[in-house]
Amino acid sequence: MLLNRDLSWLSFNLRVLQEAEDPEVPLYERLKFMAIFSSNLNEFFRVRYPEIIALSILNKKVKKEIDNFKENIAEKVQDEIKSQLNYFGEILHTKILPELENNGIIFYYNTPIREEHLSEIREIFLSNVLSFIQPLYLDGKTEQSFLPENNQLYFVITLQENFDGILKQAIVNIPSEKIKRFFTLTPLDNKEYVIFLDDIVRENLVYLFPGQKILGVYSIKINRDAELHLEDEYSGNLLQKIERQLKKRDFGPPSRFLYEEGMPRNLQMFLAASFNITSEEMFSGGRYHNLDDLIHFPSFGKALYYEKNKPLSSSNVMNSGDIFKILVKDDILLHVPYQSYNPVLSFFNQAAVDVEVTEIYITLYRVAEESHIINALISAAKNGKKVVAFIELKARFDEANNIKWSKVMKDAGVKIIYSIPEIKVHSKIALIRKRKGGDRQSFAILSTGNFNEITAQFYTDHVLMTTDEAITSELLQLFKFLELRNEVDNSKKLKFNALLVSQFNMISELEKLVNKEIAKAKKGLPAMIRIKVNNLEEPEFIDRLYEAEKAGVKIHLLVRGICCIVPGVPGKSNNIFVKRIVDRYLEHSRILIFGTDENPQVIIGSADLMTRNLRHRIEVYVKIKKENCKKELINYFELQWKDNDKSVWLLPGYQQELSAKNNGTIYNAQQSIYNFLSTTI
């Protein structure tokens, strides 16, 4: 029995929205959660919804052959999204807008604009906005050449010429991608005022259509399928193919047509025909779209955010001045963002100028737009070191940034290995090799998150830095395999033990670890599996967990997003329990713990437990060897499991239940982890 992945994901997005409703969350953080919800939903429509619709139109015989799609879920998905959008509107109107006003901020949100602001709005339009406007008539010819871009905002306007009464339709772009979405207006009565760019345009349409009567104004936007269609991707230049497809992505097939509620039905049908929209892709919405822009809502300097926790600094690392000397003596295990990411930056920065460093290898999946790490790699190459960077070109929505950086690095002398066409390399690994006299020393980084100093500020991840010879030697052979993959197939020669590498030993090793716990349970010994991942979807692994449950293995799962396993009910079931945590930091780390605390196998790495990760990517887990590091990760997991503040129990049927408070005591995992780590440094 598997739960549907898309309905499960929607339950996660609902959990995000619940944070926006929570009065204990600072107001501007609640706005941020509303923005995240909207951004997530946009991506869902670009990535998942086209596949859902395609599957929904398959005939019944074919659908029965597709796991997890034995029923048509399109209608359930549509109903759930509509329900969540209604909930979004309720939160905004009954909670957020009144709370903004309580804090002295009036947000014009489909409300009358005070007369004192009308001339100011007109001036903003004429001086700052008008030059970005391109009105077009849909006159039977124009609609053939006009194609709304992905996620861009438009007004559809019904006009009547005064002298003959002929009705016409026009399109006006709302240039939110060129100028800011929110404008602050002159304060009145000791209150700040904020207005949408949309309303500035709406209030001044008369300047675009002089001599015509405006009968109706309706906002619209279209989401478009984000898949890159790379025909014949096994041949030719993949980079050039992706570059060409990126230019077309914003004009790909439509996946959602969002229109303002109240738009006449005949106008809906006219636009659907003009833009090649099907009924399954049509959704009514509010007056304003793209509310992920709420993340940029003006703050007026008000302290309505979470109080920032200063990242903890490991004094033994940062005071030494030489990270390589520390690593020779002991491993470093970082837990970001609770701990500073600076040791990772120092690792690459020092390698770039260290005369003993001869080689640097790294996989890059999503990097910062202004990456210090990539600048260090460039410096290293210019300093005469061999630098090999594996760039994943198919990292969705980061393709352009990755292509940009790959060209800059290549020009600087970095050897660039582009995507292997048939798989993604999602590993977060790096290796530095030093030579001192006749000896060689290798230094490795294995991370659960990307080499990205920006996301390291708000994604929870673990970073292991080590000189363990078993780990570094296996990493080196993996990098050599990736470097020579298109020249010679030596994959059969690769053997891994310290590492679990998908395409090689990851699935078999995970199966062995589950089987070991099953065997212990059958002997009446304590048996336990604890897993923290972003997504749990792989059918065969889930079947193994069901088998473990039946054998009596205790299973605790922390799953942030998609969870296709059917969980037990707290207080009724005995073995499989699933929790989800949504809080100020995005839960992103992956930890797998097999066994009780007496003799555990602890693993961290890049892979979620999904079919694509385990079977169609290059992912890397590492077995943690040092007892102190094992203990830290187990304590980390248990602090999260104990959370009864921001965690929910996942229940059968996609339901979520708030964790019960223990005698009124509140345990917040993220704050508890920060406090715990502050005492261990």
Side-chain angles (χ1 to χ4, degrees):
M1 172 66 180
L2 295 175
L3 298 177
N4 177 267
R5 59 168 289 169
D6 295 301
L7 291 172
S8 178
W9 181 89
L10 286 170
S11 75
F12 155 68
N13 212 29
L14 174 62
R15 177 69 192 91
V16 172
L17 192 53
Q18 288 171 344
E19 284 299 284
E21 186 181 29
D22 187 348
E24 299 299 316
V25 175
L27 179 58
Y28 271 65
E29 301 290 348
R30 295 166 69 185
L31 280 172
K32 188 186 298 184
F33 280 113
M34 299 194 82
I36 293 169
F37 168 87
S38 298
S39 177
N40 288 346
L41 198 56
N42 270 336
E43 184 170 335
F44 179 83
F45 273 105
R46 299 199 69 193
V47 175
R48 290 298 306 166
Y49 194 70
E51 181 176 334
I52 293 169
I53 294 303
L55 286 167
S56 73
I57 62 176
L58 291 174
N59 62 55
K60 293 182 180 180
K61 180 179 179 181
V62 175
K63 279 192 287 189
K64 287 180 180 178
E65 297 173 359
I66 301 176
D67 290 340
N68 218 15
F69 280 97
K70 294 180 180 178
E71 59 176 323
N72 183 0
I73 62 141
E75 186 174 341
K76 292 182 179 179
V77 166
Q78 292 161 356
D79 289 344
E80 179 61 25
I81 290 172
K82 289 174 183 176
S83 173
Q84 290 185 15
L85 288 175
N86 288 336
Y87 181 36
F88 182 100
E90 179 185 341
I91 294 170
L92 182 66
H93 287 285
T94 65
K95 306 289 175 63
I96 301 297
L97 293 177
E99 193 63 26
L100 282 170
E101 187 169 359
N102 290 341
N103 283 275
I105 301 169
I106 305 297
F107 183 18
Y108 283 132
Y109 197 98
N110 198 16
T111 52
I113 297 169
R114 291 181 60 162
E115 190 171 346
E116 297 96 316
H117 283 140
L118 293 177
S119 61
E120 184 178 359
I121 291 169
R122 182 171 61 250
E123 182 178 351
I124 293 171
F125 177 79
L126 294 174
S127 61
N128 295 333
V129 178
L130 184 56
S131 62
F132 296 99
I133 301 291
Q134 297 96 36
L136 292 169
Y137 288 103
L138 297 178
D139 57 6
K141 296 180 181 179
T142 308
E143 73 265 26
Q144 301 301 321
S145 58
F146 174 69
L147 194 65
E149 291 187 46
N150 172 68
N151 222 37
Q152 299 303 309
L153 302 174
Y154 301 93
F155 283 135
V156 177
I157 302 152
T158 301
L159 301 165
Q160 183 179 46
E161 294 190 7
N162 293 334
F163 58 89
D164 60 12
I166 296 176
L167 297 182
K168 295 192 296 185
Q169 307 297 337
I171 291 280
V172 170
N173 63 306
I174 303 170
S176 59
E177 79 286 1
K178 299 289 177 63
I179 52 181
K180 59 187 179 181
R181 185 77 185 279
F182 303 107
F183 284 78
T184 58
L185 302 175
T186 300
L188 298 172
D189 304 325
N190 294 317
K191 292 186 181 294
E192 305 287 355
Y193 282 79
V194 179
I195 190 170
F196 274 106
L197 168 65
D198 316 35
D199 285 334
I200 292 175
V201 175
R202 190 187 288 260
E203 288 292 320
N204 290 280
L205 289 173
V206 64
Y207 292 100
L208 302 177
F209 305 103
Q212 300 182 69
K213 187 176 182 180
I214 297 174
L215 299 180
V217 181
Y218 307 97
S219 60
I220 66 166
K221 84 160 187 179
I222 287 179
N223 288 120
R224 296 189 178 277
D225 189 342
E227 283 302 316
L228 299 180
H229 302 284
L230 304 170
E231 297 81 10
D232 256 349
E233 70 171 338
Y234 294 95
S235 62
N237 189 314
L238 185 61
L239 182 143
Q240 291 180 2
K241 289 181 179 180
I242 289 178
E243 285 187 301
R244 287 196 297 268
Q245 287 297 321
L246 286 176
K247 294 176 182 177
K248 300 177 182 178
R249 176 181 266 172
D250 284 343
F251 299 97
S255 56
R256 174 173 65 159
F257 174 52
L258 190 60
Y259 58 90
E260 184 175 341
E261 190 174 13
M263 177 185 286
R265 184 64 175 168
N266 62 332
L267 181 54
Q268 294 175 34
M269 294 300 98
F270 169 73
L271 294 173
S274 298
F275 303 143
N276 196 28
I277 306 292
T278 66
S279 59
E280 292 87 357
E281 295 157 352
M282 298 181 70
F283 289 80
S284 66
R287 184 182 179 94
Y288 309 100
H289 312 311
N290 283 5
L291 291 180
D292 49 343
D293 286 335
L294 285 170
I295 204 163
H296 302 299
F297 192 82
S299 67
F300 302 101
K302 294 180 180 289
L304 298 172
Y305 295 94
Y306 282 121
E307 183 178 347
K308 287 190 176 181
N309 287 328
K310 183 180 179 181
L312 301 166
S313 177
S314 300
S315 57
N316 66 316
V317 176
M318 300 315 297
N319 291 342
S320 72
D322 189 339
I323 197 164
F324 299 117
K325 283 185 179 179
I326 295 173
L327 286 172
V328 169
K329 297 177 182 177
D330 200 3
D331 290 353
I332 296 172
L333 178 64
L334 300 177
H335 312 280
V336 296
Y338 308 104
Q339 293 175 307
S340 172
Y341 198 66
N342 286 340
V344 177
L345 300 180
S346 295
F347 183 86
F348 292 104
N349 290 339
Q350 291 182 37
V353 298
D354 190 326
V355 294
E356 295 176 353
V357 170
T358 57
E359 302 167 54
I360 302 175
Y361 300 86
I362 190 170
T363 58
L364 297 170
Y365 192 76
R366 301 186 192 276
V367 297
E369 289 191 16
E370 301 298 329
S371 173
H372 291 288
I373 291 173
I374 288 185
N375 281 316
L377 300 176
I378 290 170
S379 294
K382 289 182 176 180
N383 289 334
K385 306 176 192 308
K386 177 184 178 181
V387 183
V388 180
F390 190 99
I391 301 264
E392 180 48 69
L393 292 178
K394 302 185 293 293
R396 185 182 285 122
F397 303 126
D398 277 276
E399 299 96 342
N401 190 48
N402 287 2
I403 289 171
K404 177 197 79 171
W405 276 119
S406 70
K407 291 179 177 179
V408 173
M409 285 191 288
K410 191 172 184 179
D411 289 343
V414 176
K415 181 176 181 181
I416 301 297
I417 309 295
Y418 291 122
S419 313
I420 298 170
E422 64 269 28
I423 59 175
K424 285 186 178 183
V425 174
H426 189 251
S427 314
K428 292 86 168 67
I429 52 176
L431 185 71
I432 288 173
R433 305 189 78 200
K434 294 180 69 173
R435 176 180 290 161
K436 190 170 186 178
D439 298 328
R440 278 191 177 275
Q441 179 84 55
S442 294
F443 302 81
I445 288 186
L446 303 99
S447 177
T448 66
N450 297 300
F451 292 113
N452 187 318
E453 60 268 30
I454 301 303
T455 56
Q457 297 174 34
F458 53 91
Y459 281 26
T460 70
D461 277 303
H462 310 293
V463 183
L464 177 68
M465 307 168 76
T466 184
T467 58
D468 184 285
E469 190 173 347
I471 293 172
T472 58
S473 62
E474 290 184 12
L475 270 186
L476 181 60
Q477 69 168 325
L478 178 58
F479 274 116
K480 290 296 185 183
F481 164 73
L482 294 175
E483 186 177 2
L484 301 174
R485 181 65 176 85
N486 293 322
E487 300 172 24
V488 58
D489 185 3
N490 61 350
S491 59
K492 294 180 181 178
K493 300 178 183 178
L494 269 62
K495 303 295 181 184
F496 298 102
N497 181 47
L499 304 180
L500 282 65
V501 183
S502 56
Q503 309 290 314
F504 296 96
N505 68 331
M506 184 176 286
I507 291 175
S508 61
E509 286 295 314
L510 290 176
E511 185 172 348
K512 289 177 185 176
L513 289 165
V514 174
N515 287 344
K516 185 177 179 181
E517 295 307 304
I518 291 174
K520 286 159 62 177
K522 288 182 176 179
K523 292 178 182 178
L525 300 173
M528 190 172 193
I529 296 173
R530 288 167 282 185
I531 294 174
K532 179 181 186 293
V533 288
N534 299 325
N535 301 296
L536 172 59
E537 170 264 354
E538 212 283 327
E540 290 187 20
F541 187 80
I542 290 175
D543 285 343
R544 300 302 292 159
L545 292 181
Y546 284 145
E547 186 177 340
E549 176 200 22
K550 290 177 182 176
V553 179
K554 193 174 183 180
I555 301 172
H556 288 176
L557 305 173
L558 288 164
V559 185
R560 185 195 78 210
I562 297 165
C563 183
C564 295
I565 200 168
V566 179
V569 179
K572 295 182 180 179
S573 305
N574 294 320
N575 293 327
I576 294 183
F577 299 114
V578 188
K579 277 190 166 186
R580 168 181 288 145
I581 295 176
V582 174
D583 201 354
R584 62 190 296 181
Y585 302 133
L586 178 73
E587 293 295 340
H588 189 256
S589 61
R590 291 96 170 181
I591 309 172
L592 293 84
I593 306 168
F594 296 89
T596 58
D597 293 357
E598 288 72 29
N599 187 27
Q601 177 69 74
V602 182
I603 297 167
I604 63 170
S606 60
D608 282 319
L609 297 172
M610 304 183 74
T611 300
R612 69 185 187 192
N613 300 84
L614 300 184
R615 301 182 184 278
H616 305 299
R617 292 182 173 184
I618 294 291
E619 305 271 11
V620 175
Y621 285 137
V622 60
K623 298 175 183 177
I624 302 299
K625 297 183 179 180
K626 297 290 180 72
E627 290 301 321
N628 62 321
C629 293
K630 283 186 179 182
K631 186 175 180 181
E632 271 188 31
L633 288 164
I634 292 171
N635 286 339
Y636 188 105
F637 184 98
E638 290 303 320
L639 285 170
Q640 292 221 301
W641 191 255
K642 190 178 181 181
D643 184 285
N644 62 4
D645 184 25
K646 296 298 182 181
S647 69
V648 292
W649 294 102
L650 301 194
L651 305 178
Y654 313 101
Q655 301 303 309
Q656 303 175 83
E657 180 182 280
L658 290 172
S659 298
K661 305 293 186 287
N662 298 323
N663 300 320
T665 303
I666 296 176
Y667 295 97
N668 180 281
Q670 293 189 354
Q671 189 59 49
S672 297
I673 289 169
Y674 182 84
N675 296 340
F676 165 71
L677 293 173
S678 67
T679 64
T680 61
I681 293 177

